Amino acid sequence: MQLGMIGLGRMGANMVRRLMRSGHDCVVYDVDGAAVDRLAAEGATGARTLDELVARLTPPRAVWLMVAHGAITETSVREMRLRLAAGDVLIDGGNSFYQDDVRRAAELRERGIAYLDVGTSGGIAGLERGYCMMIGGERAAFERLDSVFASLAPGGGQIVRTRGRQARDPRIERGYLYCGPAGAGHFVKMIHNGIEYGMMQAMAEGFDILRNVSKGSVPEDRRYDLDLADVAELWRRGSVVASWLLDLAAEALVEDPQLAGFSGVVEDSGEGRWTVQAAVEEAVPAEVLTAALYARFRSRQEHTFAEKMLSAMRAKFGGHKEPALPRR
């Protein structure tokens, strides 16, 4: 299938590579011409402008936006609304606020353009591992692009079916789900990332406690000199807390046992805030997720080993770099 991809950053470029491996024809654009050239050298069709990208796609077109949420996405949607035609599909695979999707879908519908919001999880490892996708928007557009989602998804792998689960849409067990109308995909991804905040915070705090049990403030007969990399490796094997996040934590601790390469400044991408806002709107108590969000705010003022652990995990799964420390 032919697909246009706008945004060739950490995830967009690898998504194109994964699609090309499955035989899809990708037309690519980025404001960074060098990124376009790299993928063109690997077999993609490069475009220097949005007009050129649209011209190189055969109607009905499908264009995937993989850019940062906020102003860049808004501008990109607006630009594509002017260029696409009735019957085309525009996909936002970034981390947009789900309420923005509802508005965009209505605006695009006026021109006969379908809109899909695709919450995409997989980070910089997605090229090999695949991408878990949570999809909202018009069902017909989702079905039309099924082969694209199937190629990007992880597939069934070695994960066994949940005990007692009856056979349903097999695509769910391959790693992608149609969640509902406009905004549903990004809403599910928003909650996914809110949960991620909580899981990462719990893990980071636990390793901080393990590390500090050797401090002089602890009675001498209860001090333990623990190798955190060894503990992480142990827990990866048969423990109830085993997870991809723990795998990444173990890697980080092997590479830098003291996490000296991290300051502990932890950014929030927006979805943690939106998750807490949704909890307030729904009157759902979310103490852990709220506390995890506030811990990220605090990390910009004081830096514990736990915050360095958070920062290390973010760097591992998403390639996130710490921002420069503000001058005080």
Side-chain angles (χ1 to χ4, degrees):
M1 185 173 184
Q2 190 183 49
L3 181 79
M5 179 69 76
I6 298 173
L8 307 176
R10 289 191 300 258
M11 289 180 66
N14 278 344
M15 291 170 73
V16 169
R17 294 184 175 101
R18 189 170 174 90
L19 287 168
M20 290 194 298
R21 286 181 181 180
S22 295
H24 296 279
D25 174 18
C26 295
V27 182
V28 300
Y29 169 79
D30 193 282
V31 292
D32 179 3
V36 174
D37 292 341
R38 283 193 293 271
L39 282 171
E42 296 176 36
T45 301
R48 293 300 174 188
T49 66
L50 294 178
D51 287 328
E52 185 180 350
L53 178 134
V54 171
R56 288 175 178 265
L57 293 169
T58 302
R61 308 170 188 87
V63 176
W64 190 305
L65 302 177
M66 206 64 194
V67 297
H69 74 80
I72 298 175
T73 297
E74 286 293 341
T75 299
S76 299
V77 171
R78 185 165 57 250
E79 293 291 334
M80 296 314 299
R81 182 176 183 269
L82 297 174
R83 290 168 171 79
L84 295 179
D88 293 343
V89 180
L90 183 62
I91 305 141
D92 176 14
N95 286 328
S96 290
F97 185 41
Y98 75 101
Q99 293 180 20
D100 291 334
D101 294 313
V102 177
R103 170 179 49 80
R104 293 175 193 150
E107 293 170 350
L108 290 165
R109 195 179 303 119
E110 293 175 358
R111 293 179 58 88
I113 303 167
Y115 178 81
L116 294 175
D117 52 283
V118 181
T120 309
S121 181
I124 57 178
L127 175 59
E128 301 302 331
R129 291 176 61 104
Y131 301 89
C132 175
M133 289 166 289
M134 296 139 265
I135 304 161
E138 296 184 20
R139 180 86 194 215
F142 162 72
E143 296 292 352
R144 175 182 148 195
L145 295 174
D146 184 73
S147 64
V148 169
F149 300 131
S151 296
L152 289 171
Q158 302 301 310
I159 301 175
V160 299
R161 177 174 290 168
T162 300
R163 191 167 50 238
R165 178 181 170 85
Q166 300 300 312
R168 300 185 186 180
D169 186 337
R171 293 176 290 195
I172 299 167
E173 294 177 6
R174 293 202 291 267
Y176 61 109
L177 169 68
Y178 176 74
C179 300
H186 277 147
F187 183 82
V188 175
K189 177 60 161 50
M190 177 184 79
I191 304 305
H192 164 282
N193 282 28
I195 293 170
E196 177 188 297
Y197 278 35
M199 292 173 66
M200 291 175 68
Q201 187 66 33
M203 197 173 295
E205 291 176 7
F207 278 105
D208 205 2
I209 297 168
L210 290 170
R211 178 175 182 267
N212 282 286
V213 75
S214 62
K215 289 175 62 174
S217 58
V218 176
E220 187 173 2
D221 62 346
R222 289 192 271 117
R223 293 178 205 160
Y224 308 113
D225 184 17
L226 300 171
D227 186 312
L228 302 190
D230 283 352
V231 173
E233 191 64 28
L234 171 70
W235 286 352
R236 292 181 62 224
R237 303 169 189 282
S239 163
V240 73
V241 299
S243 64
W244 187 22
L245 284 175
L246 183 60
D247 295 344
L248 300 175
E251 284 183 18
L253 289 166
V254 166
E255 293 169 2
D256 184 358
Q258 300 304 316
L259 302 183
F262 298 91
S263 69
V265 176
V266 185
E267 289 292 291
D268 65 288
S269 58
E271 284 128 312
R273 301 186 189 206
W274 301 335
T275 297
V276 172
Q277 289 169 4
V280 171
E281 183 178 65
E282 299 167 19
V284 172
E287 297 96 329
V288 171
L289 305 190
T290 303
L293 173 65
Y294 287 173
R296 295 195 176 199
F297 296 163
R298 189 199 63 236
S299 78
R300 296 158 211 174
Q301 299 172 345
E302 55 179 295
H303 312 302
T304 66
F305 187 82
E307 276 132 14
K308 291 183 180 183
M309 190 77 249
L310 283 174
S311 202
M313 284 188 280
R314 291 182 86 240
K316 279 293 180 183
F317 74 71
H320 302 288
K321 297 186 183 300
E322 292 181 333
L325 289 171
R327 294 181 180 274
R328 294 187 180 276

